[in-house]
Amino acid sequence: MRTYIYSVPFLFASFTSALWPVPEHYTHGNNSVVLWFSPDVQIMYNGPVCRTLSLNHQYPIFRGQDIDGFQNSTNATIGGNKTSCYDSVVRDAIKRAISTISEESLVPWKLYPRRSVFEPPPTNPKKYITSIVVQQTSKDAACGPRPLVDKLDESYQLDVAVSGQVALTAPSSLGLLHGLTTLTQLFYQHSQKGSGVYTNLAPVSIKDKPKFAWRGLNLDVARNWYPVSDILRTIDALSWNKFNHLHIHMTDAQSWPLEIPALPELSEKGAYAKGLSYSPDDIKNIQKYGNDRGVEVVIEIDMPGHTAIIGVSHPDLITAYNIQPNWDTYAAEPPSGELKLNSPAVSSFLETLFKDLLPRVSPYSAYFHTGGDEVNVNAYALDETVGSNDSAVIKPFLQKFVDRNHDQVRANGLTPIVWEEMLLQWNLTLGKDVLIQTWQSDAAVKDSVQKGYKTLVGNYNFWYLDCGKGQWLNFQEGTSFQKFYPFADYCSPTKNWRLIYSYDPIAGLTADEAKLVIGGEVHIWSEQTDSVNLDDMVWPRASAAGEVLWSGRQDASGKNRTQFDASPRLAEMRERMVLKGIKCGPSQMIFCTQNDPSWCAL
């Protein structure tokens, strides 16, 4: 049973220290001090008082328009130089944090025993948060192309004194964004309307930084369509969980939803319907929206496989296009079709495609994903420029194909990413700058780092969110029906949050090998996911991967983090996301969240 700490005439349960993901170092008070969010809070950013928010309400309702006048000391200097060209990013993040605390804080009734007294009396004299000091201690990298992920410092320190003073410091704007996110999780809304927002955790001391530099979600927008609003909402949720990458699997065999002004026919003929495509302005806005929230958006154009859709507008570029009924001889999914490997027309097409696209994405990202998974050799027996399904024959052409693409990617100041097959199955010669994205096994992780490559993890046995919904293919009565009955998908069962949380990205690696694992991604492929169920398919399960990537699978003592510790914190995180518009299901029933985790355990 929980321990209760009494502070007459109300009580608090001890677990209201919940933060997600858990910080590296975190201490807090014993619930005896209550600080209310002040109607006269002073906000200071990189210098003197920037603005005092003084409202005449009994309780401050800070709306966006109320703090639009908040001004940063844009001429504040550190070491004689401006701190950052990201000052406006931090300024907007401060606004969002104030709005979240004031308007979207949680009434945590689901996290306490039913009908228990868990809130401070609203009529008692109130002690307030009086000031929030936000200070960047070092300069960000020069304005311009985003630095490589392992060159970023995302650490921060957050302190809340019993006197009501809040101090947030970080060496970078990214660290400040993470610290502001943590600050919002320290506050709760009182259930009595108009009573205010409070924290019962002071004094708070947090020193925090991520375990892994790359913490991402791979979102497939080609197999089903997602409006821009879905992508922006997903970026918001990623930032709250301290992810820092959204990898958009932009095109695949089934659709081409990306508008390329130099090749307008690609989306005109390849999108599922008119209007279901992303304009250059859409892509710019998505990437900027992500950067403003600490989430780098990385675009993938998968190739040479998964490119059948190009054949709708450019049939001369694709081999083995939409072969029916035996599509599975030539592709992992219908429709079949792959870019020809030794065709000058294909090289010219890719030159034009990349010349249009890469300069538009390079201001917002340091990376570009060129795909490379599931290349089917049988397709190249039908390619007149190759004429063989022998890997030994295909490999030189594939090497030339990848070299051409990566040369152009680098020429635009971007670092290439490929799926693991390019290195491990095809044994291509890749530059050491290339980032290898593994997905099939832990052995693939070990093989990649042993070859000296920086590597992303994402083992489908643990981190594929689409698994467990069953087959999306139809099966003929008879042999096919019997073979695939009861129609489980290839990666069943569902990867529940506990399984996701159990995955250790660096298990089985030496210390030197582990240094090359720069992070990982959790994946949502969209054969059976669209705008209607996206939130519930991703959250809160992705949050479990988020904590593994930020905090590590093990705690400071080297012990695996437990479900008993994680489950109440994840339940709270889910409630906070729901309040902010993420339509995700619960991780447990209320009986479990209202009682000790051991009550719902075996």
Side-chain angles (χ1 to χ4, degrees):
M1 187 65 185
R2 278 198 192 90
T3 300
Y4 293 94
I5 301 173
Y6 292 85
S7 181
V8 179
F10 63 95
L11 60 84
F12 286 121
S14 62
F15 80 96
T16 54
S17 59
L19 293 176
W20 193 279
V22 64
E24 183 178 42
H25 300 289
Y26 174 31
T27 61
H28 59 86
N30 61 4
N31 305 308
S32 63
V33 175
V34 178
L35 295 174
W36 296 81
F37 199 74
S38 172
D40 295 301
V41 63
Q42 292 181 330
I43 302 176
M44 291 161 278
Y45 170 38
N46 281 351
V49 176
C50 301
R51 184 183 179 203
T52 299
L53 295 176
S54 183
L55 303 177
N56 294 322
H57 311 148
Q58 178 183 0
Y59 171 68
I61 303 298
F62 295 132
R63 305 186 193 281
Q65 63 267 28
D66 296 327
I67 54 177
D68 278 346
F70 170 76
Q71 296 296 319
N72 171 47
S73 298
T74 53
N75 295 320
T77 60
I78 294 177
N81 296 298
K82 284 187 67 176
T83 60
S84 174
C85 57
Y86 300 104
D87 284 340
S88 62
V89 171
V90 176
R91 193 162 60 245
D92 289 344
I94 292 171
K95 293 185 197 179
R96 291 195 302 274
I98 297 302
S99 178
T100 294
I101 293 169
S102 302
E103 297 184 337
E104 297 173 320
S105 286
L106 173 68
V107 178
W109 66 270
K110 290 185 181 180
L111 309 177
Y112 292 91
R114 67 187 76 192
R115 288 180 290 279
S116 61
V117 180
F118 60 87
E119 299 173 299
T123 56
N124 281 7
K126 293 181 177 179
K127 191 173 184 178
Y128 288 98
I129 297 290
T130 57
S131 65
I132 301 173
V133 178
V134 179
Q135 187 73 36
Q136 186 170 330
T137 58
S138 301
K139 293 186 296 180
D140 282 317
C143 301
R146 188 181 176 99
L148 294 177
V149 67
D150 51 349
K151 305 299 182 184
L152 300 173
D153 187 341
E154 300 178 83
S155 64
Y156 68 92
Q157 180 169 343
L158 176 63
D159 296 285
V160 181
V162 295
S163 62
Q165 296 172 314
V166 176
L168 170 61
T169 60
S172 70
S173 56
L174 281 174
L176 293 181
L177 265 59
H178 294 316
L180 289 165
T181 296
T182 299
L183 179 65
T184 66
Q185 293 185 21
L186 298 176
F187 289 89
Y188 298 90
Q189 173 73 53
H190 199 285
S191 61
Q192 184 172 315
K193 186 176 181 179
S195 294
V197 173
Y198 65 90
T199 179
N200 59 319
L201 299 172
V204 172
S205 178
I206 296 173
K207 293 182 180 180
D208 201 10
K209 66 178 185 296
K211 172 76 172 178
F212 294 98
W214 188 296
R215 307 174 304 280
L217 169 73
N218 172 27
L219 173 63
D220 166 19
V221 302
R223 292 182 174 90
N224 270 308
W225 162 256
Y226 297 93
V228 170
S229 59
D230 287 348
I231 298 174
L232 300 185
R233 188 178 66 255
T234 299
I235 289 172
D236 283 330
L238 288 168
S239 71
W240 304 331
N241 287 272
K242 296 190 174 69
F243 284 90
N244 64 354
H245 282 84
L246 174 63
H247 161 190
I248 301 182
H249 184 83
M250 184 63 72
T251 61
D252 212 291
Q254 295 79 16
S255 82
W256 187 285
L258 179 64
E259 294 178 18
I260 303 294
L263 298 164
E265 66 278 4
L266 284 172
S267 60
E268 288 173 357
K269 296 183 178 181
Y272 278 125
K274 185 177 181 179
L276 301 190
S277 58
Y278 305 109
S279 70
D281 281 346
D282 290 334
I283 298 302
K284 178 181 178 179
N285 291 336
I286 288 168
Q287 289 198 287
K288 185 178 185 304
Y289 191 92
N291 278 6
D292 288 350
R293 286 151 181 80
V295 178
E296 180 178 4
V297 177
V298 177
I299 304 298
E300 177 190 359
I301 304 295
D302 201 356
M303 61 182 76
H306 294 273
T307 51
I309 192 62
I310 296 173
V312 176
S313 56
H314 296 267
D316 57 314
L317 304 183
I318 299 297
T319 184
Y321 175 68
N322 195 22
I323 293 178
Q324 296 287 354
N326 299 317
W327 59 265
D328 55 323
T329 301
Y330 301 96
E333 290 183 358
S336 63
E338 301 187 356
L339 281 169
K340 296 177 181 178
L341 282 183
N342 193 30
S343 165
V346 168
S347 296
S348 177
F349 167 82
L350 293 174
E351 180 76 23
T352 301
L353 171 65
F354 281 10
K355 185 177 180 180
D356 182 301
L357 178 60
L358 297 182
R360 293 193 280 111
V361 302
S362 60
Y364 303 99
S365 178
Y367 299 88
F368 186 82
H369 202 311
T370 60
D373 62 320
E374 298 179 325
V375 175
N376 189 296
V377 297
N378 292 326
Y380 290 109
L382 305 181
D383 177 1
E384 73 279 6
T385 73
V386 176
S388 175
N389 64 358
D390 185 341
S391 296
V393 174
I394 296 169
K395 180 180 174 179
F397 297 119
L398 183 59
Q399 180 74 63
K400 181 181 178 181
F401 178 91
V402 170
D403 287 346
R404 196 226 71 81
N405 291 338
H406 286 188
D407 285 347
Q408 194 170 358
V409 168
R410 293 186 185 98
N412 282 271
L414 295 161
T415 295
I417 307 174
V418 296
W419 291 105
E420 65 179 59
E421 290 96 321
M422 293 290 93
L423 178 68
L424 303 181
Q425 177 183 340
W426 289 95
N427 196 29
L428 297 187
T429 300
L430 301 172
K432 288 299 182 180
D433 60 329
V434 176
L435 185 57
I436 308 299
Q437 180 153 34
T438 63
W439 64 278
Q440 295 189 87
S441 67
D442 288 347
V445 177
K446 193 170 185 68
D447 290 345
S448 296
V449 297
Q450 284 184 338
K451 290 177 180 288
Y453 287 90
K454 293 178 181 178
T455 298
L456 297 175
V457 304
N459 189 326
Y460 80 94
N461 294 293
F462 295 89
W463 281 11
Y464 269 29
L465 300 174
D466 56 301
C467 299
K469 290 181 70 69
Q471 285 280 2
W472 49 269
L473 293 166
N474 301 317
F475 299 96
Q476 298 280 359
E477 291 291 330
T479 302
S480 181
F481 185 101
Q482 294 300 325
K483 178 180 178 181
F484 290 98
Y485 184 88
F487 316 117
D489 55 58
Y490 80 99
C491 57
S492 288
T494 299
K495 313 312 177 191
N496 61 69
W497 80 260
R498 291 170 178 82
L499 180 65
I500 292 168
Y501 197 69
S502 73
Y503 182 61
D504 185 350
I506 55 176
L509 303 181
T510 67
D512 286 340
E513 290 169 348
K515 292 176 182 177
L516 288 173
V517 176
I518 66 168
E521 292 184 348
V522 62
H523 302 260
I524 181 65
W525 301 105
S526 293
E527 287 87 349
Q528 298 181 87
T529 300
D530 66 9
S531 185
V532 174
N533 65 338
L534 173 64
D535 289 359
D536 196 50
M537 286 293 291
V538 174
W539 309 107
R541 291 185 297 151
S543 301
E547 177 154 296
V548 170
L549 290 168
W550 179 274
S551 310
R553 179 67 181 98
Q554 287 82 34
D555 61 22
S557 68
K559 295 180 180 178
N560 283 339
R561 302 183 192 278
T562 70
Q563 296 174 20
F564 286 76
D565 169 74
S567 61
R569 292 188 296 105
L570 183 60
E572 178 171 328
M573 186 62 185
R574 180 262 175 176
E575 296 299 322
R576 291 187 183 274
M577 288 194 289
V578 169
L579 276 175
K580 292 170 72 65
I582 304 300
K583 297 179 180 180
C584 55
S587 55
Q588 283 185 312
M589 58 183 172
I590 297 174
F591 172 83
C592 297
T593 65
Q594 285 191 324
N595 292 288
D596 190 281
S598 65
W599 286 27
C600 292
L602 290 173

